[in-house]
Amino acid sequence: MLLNRRSMLFTAMLAASAQVGGLGFAFADTTLLNVSYDPTRELYRAFNEAFAAHWKAETGETVTIRASHGGSGKQARAVIDGLDADVVTLALESDIDAIAKNTGKIPADWRGRLENNNAPYTSTIVFLVRKGNPKGIEDWGDLVKDDVQVITPNPKTSGGARWNYLAAWAWASEAFGGDEEKIKGYIADLYKRVPVLDTGARGSLTTFAQRQIGDVLLAWENEAYLAGAEFGDDQFDIVVPPSSILAEPPVALVDGNVDAKGTREVAQAYLEYLYSQEGQRLAAKHFYRPAKRDLVPAEDLSALPDIDLVSIDDPLFGGWAKAQPYHFGDGGVFDQIYRPGSSN
Amino acid sequence: MAVELMTDMSQTVAAHPAGTRRYRRATTEGPVAKGVLIAMALGFLALFLVLPLIAVFIEAFRKGAGEFLFALREPDTLAAIRLTLTVAAIAVPLNLVFGVAAAWAIAKFEFKGKAFLTTLIDLPFSVSPVISGLVYVLLFGAGSMLGPWLKSHGIEILFAVPGIVLATIFVTFPFVARELIPLMQDQGTGDEEAALSLGASGWQTFRFVTLPNIKWGLLYGVLLCNARAMGEFGAVSVVSGHIRGLTNTMPLHVEILYNEYNFVAAFAVSTLLAGLALVTLVLKSFLEYRYGDEIAAAAKH
């Protein structure tokens, strides 16, 4: 009995040490770590495979690409705290700026070292409506007609929701010729039609898709397609408005880490491959808008019609550093126009 | 004698037939009040404990058993399961040793700073898991004193398996000790003193007297410790780095899958954790049953 117990314990310890050893030895080949944000998993899973095959064909070397996904800000924080990322592919340039500023591992002028402001793909805000679009919602103006109810998260708590708000603002600015009072009136009307102001994009999707509340959900283009696939294509239609906001999720090489690990060459090739025909095609396939549309066959672009997109750097907003406090800071425009419970 | 007593008792009962209401019942509520109270308690249990559990299993099998198994065979999921088992296999035995040592010292000896040590053992219970994780980021992160030195010597702690193990050990530290301290204090030092006075060595005393006395309590503590080690989210989330297939534990993997609209896979992994909880509960009930006997036995001599 005693012997039995001892040998059991011994076996358990052996198994445990074998596990730990296994974790250490499995990655003798070149390994890249791509630290990314939440919704890019499918895209990078496909892209990593494509790049590994490409690199093998090109150089004969085997490269393993590891991916880490999470909230963009949290991921940036992890890289600052020492997560060994070779490349970062995040949602906002401010997150990469934070890494550059706090660690010096990325040069301050990183934006521009790759084409299209370091954004190999872009995305925008579109409408997810009930099947057949019963309320006839085609453009931003339609969101405030009749009894339309809009679902969008709270821009005070959700990063994604800020893009929704700014997209609406950009349309209104164009429609009302820059008359700020009218723009605010439109935005106020829009948020009065939000029956449930969730704290995050996921909450809003649940409200719209599972609880069946509201007529239109403002969502990221790629998220809208993902939601359609998950909840059934027969439930929703996606409406791409004639104009919207341009989001440029940036990518960057983490110089400090690739030089320490000796992976600069392959990491640089990895990022450049995002701009290749294959990389651009994969981006389009996962409903990100490729930076180089001419490289992608027309049929892959049919779901991503070319529309009028306004950048956050447009003088209308003046970049995040200006737009954030003006619109979403305490006492900012959103606080002025949104008063929960007020009927008129 | 026994037969006589029995006869006496039956006579007593016969002497006071039912309906004379000589003794008041302990509870005086009517059947309706009782029914309502019991229904409320059961309803609460069903709503907060049973329904969520059922929901997890329903969601996991929503697209059939094939999808469920497919989700579990995914390489990243397998890696998460492997990592969780590895972490528990390291953290639990270590905490078993630390826990027994701490409980032994606190329950059987008098020394200065004992109260302080007891408080320290409770610390992981009172500190938020996020803070527990951040402590290791501050200790071993790139901005810390130790981090760059360790890195230059090729030792990875944060955002690697050692960091996850450390955070898990910290969070699960009190389980074994907390379970054993009251039990060992209750048992006192009499048995050990007897063993020592009969010439047993310190190790023999521990091995043949103390350990058998606490074995059920110890198992119970280890079980709880293991459940928490496998289920810990907050502290591990902070130190993990979320690298798929490398530093993602099961609870972290569930969150990621859920955020990716991959509900079937998220709930499939959840069923494994829920299954672990159920096994723990069953074992715990069984041990409580055994453990009760042991305490009664211990109290007798």
Side-chain angles (χ1 to χ4, degrees), chain A residues 42-54:
Chain A
E42 300 296 329
L43 166 63
Y44 278 109
R45 171 168 290 186
F47 178 78
N48 290 347
E49 254 176 52
F51 176 74
H54 163 78

Side-chain angles (χ1 to χ4, degrees), chain B residues 42 45 49 100 106 110 119 121 162 191 207 215 219-220 225-226 244 255 288:
Chain B
L42 285 180
L45 270 179
L49 295 175
V100 171
I106 286 172
E110 290 299 330
T119 313
I121 288 173
D191 289 1
R207 171 71 187 80
K215 63 185 171 195
L219 251 171
Y220 182 51
C225 180
N226 184 56
R244 277 153 203 276
E255 188 210 19
E288 257 166 6

Side-chain angles (χ1 to χ4, degrees), chain A residues 2 19-20 23 27 33 38 41 45 66-69 74 78 80-84 202 205 223 226 230, chain B residues 62 74 76 82 86 90 137 141-142 151 158-159 161 207 237 241-246 258 260-261 263:
Chain A
L2 185 64
Q19 290 281 7
V20 180
L23 283 167
F27 311 108
L33 176 59
D38 265 328
R41 177 203 185 193
R45 171 168 290 186
R66 297 259 154 215
S68 165
H69 298 259
K74 185 181 168 190
I80 292 169
D81 285 332
L83 183 58
D84 246 343
R202 158 150 296 276
L205 176 69
E223 294 267 293
L226 227 76
E230 173 58 33
Chain B
R62 197 157 58 105
E74 210 250 349
D76 285 348
R82 220 163 28 233
T86 307
I90 301 171
V137 174
K151 193 162 175 66
L158 202 59
F159 308 120
V161 179
R207 171 71 187 80
S237 173
H242 303 269
I243 307 170
R244 277 153 203 276
L246 202 60
Y258 186 76
E260 279 162 359
Y261 306 89
F263 299 123

Side-chain angles (χ1 to χ4, degrees), chain A residues 198-273:
Chain A
D198 289 293
T199 53
R202 158 150 296 276
S204 282
L205 176 69
T206 311
T207 300
F208 183 74
Q210 281 186 331
R211 293 170 62 197
Q212 297 281 329
I213 296 175
D215 302 301
V216 52
L217 173 76
L218 308 184
W220 286 109
E221 197 166 39
N222 59 309
E223 294 267 293
Y225 281 99
L226 227 76
E230 173 58 33
F231 290 100
D233 287 334
D234 53 338
Q235 281 208 48
F236 311 114
D237 279 330
I238 288 162
V239 175
V240 182
S243 75
S244 192
I245 193 101
L246 173 72
E248 297 181 307
V251 305
L253 188 73
V254 187
D255 294 58
N257 288 347
V258 293
D259 286 343
K261 288 159 77 177
T263 49
R264 175 179 279 274
E265 193 195 353
V266 55
Q268 180 71 27
Y270 178 81
L271 291 181
E272 278 166 11
Y273 195 61

Side-chain angles (χ1 to χ4, degrees), chain A residues 71-315:
Chain A
S72 189
K74 185 181 168 190
Q75 294 290 80
R77 185 69 237 179
V79 175
I80 292 169
D81 285 332
L83 183 58
D84 246 343
D86 296 274
V87 299
V88 284
T89 55
L90 297 175
L92 295 173
E93 57 176 279
S94 62
D95 291 327
I96 298 186
D97 279 338
I99 301 172
K101 205 177 107 197
N102 285 298
T103 66
K105 284 178 176 173
I106 300 174
D109 62 345
W110 61 271
R111 204 168 177 237
R113 288 205 295 170
L114 292 161
E115 289 168 83
N116 194 38
N117 294 328
N118 275 42
Y121 42 78
T122 63
S123 193
T124 191
I125 302 294
V126 300
F127 306 151
L128 195 65
V129 297
R130 308 259 170 232
K131 193 73 190 172
N133 198 2
K135 298 276 167 102
I137 297 160
E138 300 295 341
D139 200 353
W140 294 92
D142 298 333
L143 298 180
V144 295
K145 72 175 186 189
D146 307 331
D147 60 343
V148 170
Q149 286 197 321
V150 183
I151 302 294
T152 176
N154 186 348
K156 298 283 277 188
T157 56
S158 157
R162 287 176 201 159
W163 293 97
N164 298 355
Y165 169 103
L166 293 173
W169 186 281
W171 172 84
S173 171
E174 185 76 26
F176 302 123
D179 183 337
E180 182 132 342
E181 282 316 303
K182 282 188 179 165
I183 303 173
K184 283 183 185 171
Y186 164 77
I187 298 282
D189 192 7
L190 176 68
Y191 278 93
K192 260 189 216 119
R193 293 162 174 275
V194 181
V196 188
L197 199 66
D198 289 293
T199 53
R202 158 150 296 276
S204 282
L205 176 69
T206 311
T207 300
F208 183 74
Q210 281 186 331
R211 293 170 62 197
Q212 297 281 329
I213 296 175
D215 302 301
V216 52
L217 173 76
L218 308 184
W220 286 109
E221 197 166 39
N222 59 309
E223 294 267 293
Y225 281 99
L226 227 76
E230 173 58 33
F231 290 100
D233 287 334
D234 53 338
Q235 281 208 48
F236 311 114
D237 279 330
I238 288 162
V239 175
V240 182
S243 75
S244 192
I245 193 101
L246 173 72
E248 297 181 307
V251 305
L253 188 73
V254 187
D255 294 58
N257 288 347
V258 293
D259 286 343
K261 288 159 77 177
T263 49
R264 175 179 279 274
E265 193 195 353
V266 55
Q268 180 71 27
Y270 178 81
L271 291 181
E272 278 166 11
Y273 195 61
L274 280 168
Y275 291 89
S276 72
Q277 179 161 23
E278 180 65 9
Q280 295 286 292
R281 204 183 57 77
L282 283 172
K285 214 178 140 212
H286 291 88
F287 306 107
Y288 283 91
R289 295 172 166 258
K292 297 169 157 183
R293 288 177 78 91
D294 48 318
L295 287 182
V296 182
E299 71 261 26
D300 286 348
L301 289 172
S302 58
L304 308 166
D306 205 359
I307 59 171
D308 194 12
L309 296 173
V310 181
S311 157
I312 183 76
D313 294 325
D314 189 276

Side-chain angles (χ1 to χ4, degrees), chain B residues 36-249:
Chain B
V36 168
L37 283 173
I38 291 173
M40 269 170 62
L42 285 180
F44 186 84
L45 270 179
L47 197 64
F48 285 91
L49 295 175
V50 182
L51 269 183
L53 196 62
I54 295 173
V56 166
F57 281 89
I58 288 179
E59 284 291 327
F61 286 99
R62 197 157 58 105
K63 291 185 180 167
E67 279 280 320
F68 174 84
L69 287 174
F70 179 77
L72 289 185
R73 272 204 300 269
E74 210 250 349
D76 285 348
T77 303
L78 286 178
I81 295 171
R82 220 163 28 233
L83 177 62
T84 297
L85 293 178
T86 307
V87 169
I90 301 171
V92 174
L94 282 177
N95 270 341
L96 181 130
V97 174
F98 293 152
V100 171
W104 162 270
I106 286 172
K108 309 277 178 185
F109 299 92
E110 290 299 330
F111 54 92
K112 263 193 187 153
K114 191 164 135 174
F116 181 63
L117 184 62
T118 317
T119 313
L120 269 188
I121 288 173
D122 278 342
L123 189 69
F125 269 165
S126 50
V127 169
S128 158
V130 178
I131 310 299
S132 315
L134 279 177
V135 166
Y136 290 99
V137 174
L138 292 177
L139 259 176
F140 299 112
S144 69
M145 302 276 282
L146 272 174
W149 183 84
L150 287 169
K151 193 162 175 66
S152 64
H153 288 74
I155 302 167
E156 281 191 72
I157 293 191
L158 202 59
F159 308 120
V161 179
I164 298 173
V165 172
L166 279 175
T168 307
I169 289 177
F170 180 81
V171 172
T172 57
F173 184 75
F175 283 90
V176 173
R178 266 282 131 211
E179 197 57 44
L180 290 183
I181 291 170
L183 176 62
M184 287 169 104
Q185 275 174 340
D186 220 35
Q187 289 170 348
T189 52
D191 289 1
E192 279 83 1
E193 278 162 11
L196 289 173
S197 65
L198 289 173
S201 71
W203 167 248
Q204 280 172 325
T205 310
F206 177 76
R207 171 71 187 80
F208 296 105
V209 177
T210 309
L211 205 54
N213 272 342
I214 60 167
K215 63 185 171 195
W216 293 115
L218 182 62
L219 251 171
Y220 182 51
V222 165
L223 216 59
L224 288 180
C225 180
N226 184 56
R228 180 66 186 270
M230 290 190 175
E232 174 56 24
F233 179 86
V236 168
S237 173
V238 177
V239 299
S240 138
H242 303 269
I243 307 170
R244 277 153 203 276
L246 202 60
T247 63
N248 250 351
T249 61

